[in-house]
Amino acid sequence: IHIAVFDSSYNPPTRAHFAISMTSFPSAGLSSSSLEIRQRDEPSEEERDPYTARLLLLSARNVDKTLKPGDATFDQRIEMMHLQALDMEERRAAAQAVGEDSSCKNVAVAALNHPTFVGKSDILLRWFRERRMAELGFKNADETPSIRLTFLIGTDTLTRLFIPKYYEPSSTLGRNMSDHLRKFFTTDNSDIVVAHRGASPKARAEEEAFIQRSEDARAWIESGKLRFARGEEISTEERD
């Protein structure tokens, strides 16, 4: 089971939100000469792991954002997320009707009260393994299918992923940022897929500059656990 998770405040959902939530699972690749992200034309067999479901996840607690007067309530955001999920499923049906492939099936909506991707991955995986699998009739670990989570994010969120101050010492998640990210990428086997901020030279230069200065980001890119959406130019600043 491979679940694409798009985590956001949905205040409100935007075209950029919709575009990111529709991205596919890309092959891994990084050109070490220029640090420009490059995808191979044909992914390896190990990388052919399309999503079997998508989850729109509301962050009730964000590391940088607090609820302000005039913001949509959480109930209103859940309702808007539900409408987005219906729209995604309608597009899947339309694609199938003309013989096109679409992985926007089994779209669900949820909310979590944890600020980091590491904590969200831990909570979701425990819920799936300990509760949902039992509800589906799987009685023991040998019968339970493996679960892989891939979080879909924009470039602005990528930079926050590698800021140490957001990772507080935890008995379950780790002592520091390195421990937290090791649990997320290695122990939990979760992934990150980044939607490019835009096609402009300035936007690409900002992305490349971040990768240049972040050894942690480069290491996880080279491992294949941090990937960039293939051929999809999505403006994460678009709000209409």
Side-chain angles (χ1 to χ4, degrees):
I1 298 174
H2 189 185
I3 304 172
V5 182
F6 180 55
D7 171 72
S8 179
S9 60
Y10 296 93
N11 186 33
T14 66
R15 292 179 181 174
H17 288 158
F18 190 92
I20 294 173
S21 66
M22 296 278 284
T23 55
S24 57
F25 187 64
S27 59
L30 177 65
S31 169
S32 58
S33 59
S34 66
L35 291 180
E36 179 183 354
I37 302 303
R38 298 182 186 276
Q39 311 297 350
R40 291 191 293 274
D41 291 336
E42 291 294 332
S44 67
E45 194 62 33
E46 291 181 354
E47 293 169 333
R48 296 181 189 277
D49 192 9
Y51 303 127
T52 52
R54 293 176 187 260
L55 178 64
L56 304 180
L57 185 64
L58 172 63
S59 292
R61 185 156 53 111
N62 188 293
V63 292
D64 274 337
K65 299 176 183 178
T66 57
L67 200 64
K68 301 186 296 293
D71 285 347
T73 66
F74 289 126
D75 286 344
Q76 290 171 329
R77 297 184 203 190
I78 289 288
E79 180 61 28
M80 289 187 285
M81 292 163 66
H82 178 66
L83 293 174
Q84 178 177 328
L86 292 176
D87 194 6
M88 292 170 68
E89 292 181 337
E90 287 177 0
R91 294 201 181 195
R92 175 186 66 86
Q96 288 183 329
V98 294
E100 296 179 0
D101 184 34
S102 175
S103 62
C104 290
K105 58 184 178 182
N106 302 326
V107 183
V109 171
L112 270 184
N113 188 29
H114 198 286
T116 70
F117 290 111
V118 181
K120 291 165 187 171
S121 172
D122 180 68
I123 292 169
L124 287 171
L125 287 172
R126 284 192 286 109
W127 184 85
F128 279 116
R129 290 167 180 164
E130 298 172 8
R131 294 186 54 185
R132 186 56 180 157
M133 290 298 104
E135 293 172 358
L136 293 175
F138 296 100
K139 303 299 183 183
N140 54 60
D142 293 335
E143 296 179 344
T144 303
S146 63
I147 300 171
R148 182 180 188 179
L149 302 179
T150 292
F151 287 79
L152 313 176
I153 67 173
T155 308
D156 52 344
T157 304
L158 172 64
T159 59
R160 293 197 298 271
L161 184 67
F162 294 97
I163 297 178
K165 72 176 183 179
Y166 295 140
Y167 298 92
E168 298 179 355
S170 165
S171 60
T172 57
L173 304 180
R175 297 170 299 173
N176 51 39
M177 183 182 77
S178 294
D179 287 348
H180 282 236
L181 293 178
R182 192 177 303 111
K183 171 179 169 47
F184 177 86
F185 287 120
T186 304
T187 305
D188 291 351
N189 193 34
S190 293
D191 302 276
I192 294 286
V193 168
V194 184
H196 290 304
R197 177 175 292 175
S200 71
K202 179 181 178 182
R204 284 307 178 85
E206 290 175 351
E207 290 179 7
E208 187 163 325
F210 169 74
I211 296 170
Q212 286 267 15
R213 65 176 181 267
S214 176
E215 293 183 6
D216 292 307
R218 290 201 306 275
W220 291 115
I221 290 170
E222 290 165 359
S223 75
K225 299 301 291 179
L226 174 57
R227 306 180 181 209
F228 286 72
R230 177 171 53 250
E232 289 148 326
E233 301 299 340
I234 300 167
S235 171
T236 57
E237 298 173 354
E238 184 179 8
R239 292 303 184 198
D240 294 333

PDB file of all heavy atoms in Angstrom, residues 114 116 118-119 122-123 126 166-177 179-180 183:
ATOM      1  N   HIS A 114      -0.229  17.472  14.964  1.00  0.00           N
ATOM      2  CA  HIS A 114       1.208  17.361  15.182  1.00  0.00           C
ATOM      3  C   HIS A 114       1.912  18.241  14.159  1.00  0.00           C
ATOM      4  O   HIS A 114       1.540  18.236  12.984  1.00  0.00           O
ATOM      5  CB  HIS A 114       1.681  15.912  15.048  1.00  0.00           C
ATOM      6  CG  HIS A 114       3.029  15.675  15.677  1.00  0.00           C
ATOM      7  ND1 HIS A 114       4.191  16.128  15.100  1.00  0.00           N
ATOM      8  CD2 HIS A 114       3.393  15.068  16.830  1.00  0.00           C
ATOM      9  CE1 HIS A 114       5.213  15.795  15.867  1.00  0.00           C
ATOM     10  NE2 HIS A 114       4.757  15.156  16.923  1.00  0.00           N
ATOM     11  N   THR A 116       5.138  18.322  12.807  1.00  0.00           N
ATOM     12  CA  THR A 116       6.205  17.912  11.893  1.00  0.00           C
ATOM     13  C   THR A 116       5.809  16.687  11.072  1.00  0.00           C
ATOM     14  O   THR A 116       4.987  15.872  11.494  1.00  0.00           O
ATOM     15  CB  THR A 116       7.501  17.588  12.654  1.00  0.00           C
ATOM     16  OG1 THR A 116       7.335  16.366  13.402  1.00  0.00           O
ATOM     17  CG2 THR A 116       7.893  18.723  13.591  1.00  0.00           C
ATOM     18  N   VAL A 118       7.689  14.169  10.526  1.00  0.00           N
ATOM     19  CA  VAL A 118       8.174  12.975  11.223  1.00  0.00           C
ATOM     20  C   VAL A 118       7.110  12.454  12.180  1.00  0.00           C
ATOM     21  O   VAL A 118       6.800  11.261  12.211  1.00  0.00           O
ATOM     22  CB  VAL A 118       9.476  13.276  11.982  1.00  0.00           C
ATOM     23  CG1 VAL A 118       9.990  12.023  12.679  1.00  0.00           C
ATOM     24  CG2 VAL A 118      10.541  13.819  11.039  1.00  0.00           C
ATOM     25  N   GLY A 119       6.524  13.353  12.963  1.00  0.00           N
ATOM     26  CA  GLY A 119       5.477  12.952  13.891  1.00  0.00           C
ATOM     27  C   GLY A 119       4.227  12.482  13.182  1.00  0.00           C
ATOM     28  O   GLY A 119       3.587  11.516  13.616  1.00  0.00           O
ATOM     29  N   ASP A 122       4.777   8.972  11.870  1.00  0.00           N
ATOM     30  CA  ASP A 122       4.729   8.011  12.972  1.00  0.00           C
ATOM     31  C   ASP A 122       3.284   7.712  13.387  1.00  0.00           C
ATOM     32  O   ASP A 122       2.888   6.552  13.548  1.00  0.00           O
ATOM     33  CB  ASP A 122       5.522   8.560  14.165  1.00  0.00           C
ATOM     34  CG  ASP A 122       5.532   7.619  15.348  1.00  0.00           C
ATOM     35  OD1 ASP A 122       6.148   6.539  15.262  1.00  0.00           O
ATOM     36  OD2 ASP A 122       4.908   7.963  16.376  1.00  0.00           O
ATOM     37  N   ILE A 123       2.477   8.750  13.545  1.00  0.00           N
ATOM     38  CA  ILE A 123       1.084   8.584  13.974  1.00  0.00           C
ATOM     39  C   ILE A 123       0.274   7.835  12.921  1.00  0.00           C
ATOM     40  O   ILE A 123      -0.483   6.903  13.224  1.00  0.00           O
ATOM     41  CB  ILE A 123       0.453   9.958  14.267  1.00  0.00           C
ATOM     42  CG1 ILE A 123       1.105  10.590  15.500  1.00  0.00           C
ATOM     43  CG2 ILE A 123      -1.061   9.825  14.476  1.00  0.00           C
ATOM     44  CD1 ILE A 123       0.728  12.046  15.715  1.00  0.00           C
ATOM     45  N   ARG A 126       1.314   4.077  12.677  1.00  0.00           N
ATOM     46  CA  ARG A 126       0.819   3.298  13.833  1.00  0.00           C
ATOM     47  C   ARG A 126      -0.679   3.074  13.731  1.00  0.00           C
ATOM     48  O   ARG A 126      -1.183   2.003  14.058  1.00  0.00           O
ATOM     49  CB  ARG A 126       1.196   3.996  15.148  1.00  0.00           C
ATOM     50  CG  ARG A 126       2.663   3.819  15.522  1.00  0.00           C
ATOM     51  CD  ARG A 126       2.966   4.265  16.947  1.00  0.00           C
ATOM     52  NE  ARG A 126       2.969   5.712  17.084  1.00  0.00           N
ATOM     53  CZ  ARG A 126       2.046   6.406  17.727  1.00  0.00           C
ATOM     54  NH1 ARG A 126       1.002   5.792  18.281  1.00  0.00           N
ATOM     55  NH2 ARG A 126       2.133   7.719  17.819  1.00  0.00           N
ATOM     56  N   TYR A 166      12.959  23.042  14.723  1.00  0.00           N
ATOM     57  CA  TYR A 166      11.625  22.455  14.713  1.00  0.00           C
ATOM     58  C   TYR A 166      11.590  21.037  15.301  1.00  0.00           C
ATOM     59  O   TYR A 166      10.515  20.460  15.445  1.00  0.00           O
ATOM     60  CB  TYR A 166      11.068  22.412  13.291  1.00  0.00           C
ATOM     61  CG  TYR A 166      10.828  23.775  12.694  1.00  0.00           C
ATOM     62  CD1 TYR A 166      11.139  24.033  11.360  1.00  0.00           C
ATOM     63  CD2 TYR A 166      10.279  24.811  13.453  1.00  0.00           C
ATOM     64  CE1 TYR A 166      10.915  25.286  10.795  1.00  0.00           C
ATOM     65  CE2 TYR A 166      10.063  26.056  12.904  1.00  0.00           C
ATOM     66  CZ  TYR A 166      10.381  26.291  11.579  1.00  0.00           C
ATOM     67  OH  TYR A 166      10.154  27.528  11.028  1.00  0.00           O
ATOM     68  N   TYR A 167      12.747  20.482  15.625  1.00  0.00           N
ATOM     69  CA  TYR A 167      12.809  19.091  16.082  1.00  0.00           C
ATOM     70  C   TYR A 167      13.193  19.032  17.557  1.00  0.00           C
ATOM     71  O   TYR A 167      14.371  19.127  17.916  1.00  0.00           O
ATOM     72  CB  TYR A 167      13.801  18.309  15.223  1.00  0.00           C
ATOM     73  CG  TYR A 167      13.404  18.257  13.770  1.00  0.00           C
ATOM     74  CD1 TYR A 167      13.871  19.212  12.867  1.00  0.00           C
ATOM     75  CD2 TYR A 167      12.532  17.281  13.307  1.00  0.00           C
ATOM     76  CE1 TYR A 167      13.489  19.182  11.531  1.00  0.00           C
ATOM     77  CE2 TYR A 167      12.147  17.240  11.973  1.00  0.00           C
ATOM     78  CZ  TYR A 167      12.624  18.189  11.097  1.00  0.00           C
ATOM     79  OH  TYR A 167      12.235  18.155   9.782  1.00  0.00           O
ATOM     80  N   GLU A 168      12.190  18.895  18.413  1.00  0.00           N
ATOM     81  CA  GLU A 168      12.425  18.822  19.848  1.00  0.00           C
ATOM     82  C   GLU A 168      12.779  17.395  20.246  1.00  0.00           C
ATOM     83  O   GLU A 168      12.321  16.433  19.625  1.00  0.00           O
ATOM     84  CB  GLU A 168      11.173  19.288  20.607  1.00  0.00           C
ATOM     85  CG  GLU A 168      10.791  20.728  20.321  1.00  0.00           C
ATOM     86  CD  GLU A 168       9.536  21.144  21.068  1.00  0.00           C
ATOM     87  OE1 GLU A 168       8.925  20.258  21.718  1.00  0.00           O
ATOM     88  OE2 GLU A 168       9.179  22.327  21.003  1.00  0.00           O
ATOM     89  N   PRO A 169      13.604  17.227  21.279  1.00  0.00           N
ATOM     90  CA  PRO A 169      13.957  15.877  21.733  1.00  0.00           C
ATOM     91  C   PRO A 169      12.712  15.070  22.089  1.00  0.00           C
ATOM     92  O   PRO A 169      11.774  15.581  22.707  1.00  0.00           O
ATOM     93  CB  PRO A 169      14.815  16.142  22.979  1.00  0.00           C
ATOM     94  CG  PRO A 169      15.369  17.511  22.763  1.00  0.00           C
ATOM     95  CD  PRO A 169      14.289  18.276  22.051  1.00  0.00           C
ATOM     96  N   SER A 170      12.678  13.823  21.638  1.00  0.00           N
ATOM     97  CA  SER A 170      11.521  12.955  21.858  1.00  0.00           C
ATOM     98  C   SER A 170      12.000  11.534  22.103  1.00  0.00           C
ATOM     99  O   SER A 170      12.929  11.059  21.442  1.00  0.00           O
ATOM    100  CB  SER A 170      10.598  13.004  20.634  1.00  0.00           C
ATOM    101  OG  SER A 170       9.660  11.950  20.657  1.00  0.00           O
ATOM    102  N   SER A 171      11.347  10.851  23.028  1.00  0.00           N
ATOM    103  CA  SER A 171      11.722   9.467  23.326  1.00  0.00           C
ATOM    104  C   SER A 171      11.372   8.529  22.178  1.00  0.00           C
ATOM    105  O   SER A 171      11.965   7.459  22.034  1.00  0.00           O
ATOM    106  CB  SER A 171      11.025   9.005  24.610  1.00  0.00           C
ATOM    107  OG  SER A 171       9.608   9.079  24.458  1.00  0.00           O
ATOM    108  N   THR A 172      10.404   8.907  21.339  1.00  0.00           N
ATOM    109  CA  THR A 172       9.981   8.042  20.233  1.00  0.00           C
ATOM    110  C   THR A 172      10.535   8.488  18.880  1.00  0.00           C
ATOM    111  O   THR A 172      10.754   7.655  17.995  1.00  0.00           O
ATOM    112  CB  THR A 172       8.441   7.990  20.141  1.00  0.00           C
ATOM    113  OG1 THR A 172       7.936   9.324  19.989  1.00  0.00           O
ATOM    114  CG2 THR A 172       7.853   7.350  21.389  1.00  0.00           C
ATOM    115  N   LEU A 173      10.769   9.800  18.707  1.00  0.00           N
ATOM    116  CA  LEU A 173      11.179  10.308  17.401  1.00  0.00           C
ATOM    117  C   LEU A 173      12.677  10.582  17.296  1.00  0.00           C
ATOM    118  O   LEU A 173      13.226  10.569  16.196  1.00  0.00           O
ATOM    119  CB  LEU A 173      10.407  11.592  17.067  1.00  0.00           C
ATOM    120  CG  LEU A 173       8.879  11.476  17.086  1.00  0.00           C
ATOM    121  CD1 LEU A 173       8.240  12.819  16.743  1.00  0.00           C
ATOM    122  CD2 LEU A 173       8.397  10.392  16.124  1.00  0.00           C
ATOM    123  N   GLY A 174      13.328  10.833  18.441  1.00  0.00           N
ATOM    124  CA  GLY A 174      14.764  11.078  18.412  1.00  0.00           C
ATOM    125  C   GLY A 174      15.173  12.312  19.176  1.00  0.00           C
ATOM    126  O   GLY A 174      14.347  13.106  19.620  1.00  0.00           O
ATOM    127  N   ARG A 175      16.501  12.481  19.312  1.00  0.00           N
ATOM    128  CA  ARG A 175      17.038  13.588  20.115  1.00  0.00           C
ATOM    129  C   ARG A 175      17.166  14.884  19.333  1.00  0.00           C
ATOM    130  O   ARG A 175      17.087  15.965  19.919  1.00  0.00           O
ATOM    131  CB  ARG A 175      18.423  13.201  20.654  1.00  0.00           C
ATOM    132  CG  ARG A 175      18.425  12.002  21.600  1.00  0.00           C
ATOM    133  CD  ARG A 175      19.849  11.560  21.861  1.00  0.00           C
ATOM    134  NE  ARG A 175      20.505  11.151  20.612  1.00  0.00           N
ATOM    135  CZ  ARG A 175      21.800  10.836  20.523  1.00  0.00           C
ATOM    136  NH1 ARG A 175      22.572  10.920  21.593  1.00  0.00           N
ATOM    137  NH2 ARG A 175      22.302  10.449  19.355  1.00  0.00           N
ATOM    138  N   ASN A 176      17.393  14.809  18.025  1.00  0.00           N
ATOM    139  CA  ASN A 176      17.668  16.007  17.235  1.00  0.00           C
ATOM    140  C   ASN A 176      17.167  15.811  15.808  1.00  0.00           C
ATOM    141  O   ASN A 176      16.557  14.787  15.481  1.00  0.00           O
ATOM    142  CB  ASN A 176      19.170  16.310  17.243  1.00  0.00           C
ATOM    143  CG  ASN A 176      19.995  15.094  16.861  1.00  0.00           C
ATOM    144  OD1 ASN A 176      19.611  14.323  15.975  1.00  0.00           O
ATOM    145  ND2 ASN A 176      21.127  14.899  17.537  1.00  0.00           N
ATOM    146  N   MET A 177      17.414  16.802  14.942  1.00  0.00           N
ATOM    147  CA  MET A 177      16.907  16.736  13.582  1.00  0.00           C
ATOM    148  C   MET A 177      17.410  15.500  12.843  1.00  0.00           C
ATOM    149  O   MET A 177      16.643  14.836  12.140  1.00  0.00           O
ATOM    150  CB  MET A 177      17.316  17.998  12.801  1.00  0.00           C
ATOM    151  CG  MET A 177      16.767  18.046  11.379  1.00  0.00           C
ATOM    152  SD  MET A 177      17.307  19.507  10.434  1.00  0.00           S
ATOM    153  CE  MET A 177      18.987  19.007  10.027  1.00  0.00           C
ATOM    154  N   ASP A 179      18.284  12.574  14.004  1.00  0.00           N
ATOM    155  CA  ASP A 179      17.576  11.384  14.484  1.00  0.00           C
ATOM    156  C   ASP A 179      16.155  11.330  13.929  1.00  0.00           C
ATOM    157  O   ASP A 179      15.680  10.273  13.490  1.00  0.00           O
ATOM    158  CB  ASP A 179      17.518  11.382  16.021  1.00  0.00           C
ATOM    159  CG  ASP A 179      18.856  11.077  16.658  1.00  0.00           C
ATOM    160  OD1 ASP A 179      19.777  10.647  15.935  1.00  0.00           O
ATOM    161  OD2 ASP A 179      18.984  11.259  17.889  1.00  0.00           O
ATOM    162  N   HIS A 180      15.470  12.472  13.970  1.00  0.00           N
ATOM    163  CA  HIS A 180      14.089  12.529  13.491  1.00  0.00           C
ATOM    164  C   HIS A 180      14.008  12.146  12.011  1.00  0.00           C
ATOM    165  O   HIS A 180      13.163  11.341  11.607  1.00  0.00           O
ATOM    166  CB  HIS A 180      13.522  13.940  13.685  1.00  0.00           C
ATOM    167  CG  HIS A 180      13.108  14.252  15.083  1.00  0.00           C
ATOM    168  ND1 HIS A 180      11.840  14.684  15.414  1.00  0.00           N
ATOM    169  CD2 HIS A 180      13.788  14.201  16.256  1.00  0.00           C
ATOM    170  CE1 HIS A 180      11.754  14.892  16.717  1.00  0.00           C
ATOM    171  NE2 HIS A 180      12.938  14.612  17.241  1.00  0.00           N
ATOM    172  N   LYS A 183      14.616   8.472  11.335  1.00  0.00           N
ATOM    173  CA  LYS A 183      13.429   7.665  11.625  1.00  0.00           C
ATOM    174  C   LYS A 183      12.423   7.783  10.492  1.00  0.00           C
ATOM    175  O   LYS A 183      11.851   6.785  10.026  1.00  0.00           O
ATOM    176  CB  LYS A 183      12.772   8.095  12.934  1.00  0.00           C
ATOM    177  CG  LYS A 183      11.409   7.434  13.161  1.00  0.00           C
ATOM    178  CD  LYS A 183      10.763   7.830  14.463  1.00  0.00           C
ATOM    179  CE  LYS A 183       9.300   7.382  14.526  1.00  0.00           C
ATOM    180  NZ  LYS A 183       9.071   5.989  14.114  1.00  0.00           N
TER     181      LYS A 183
END
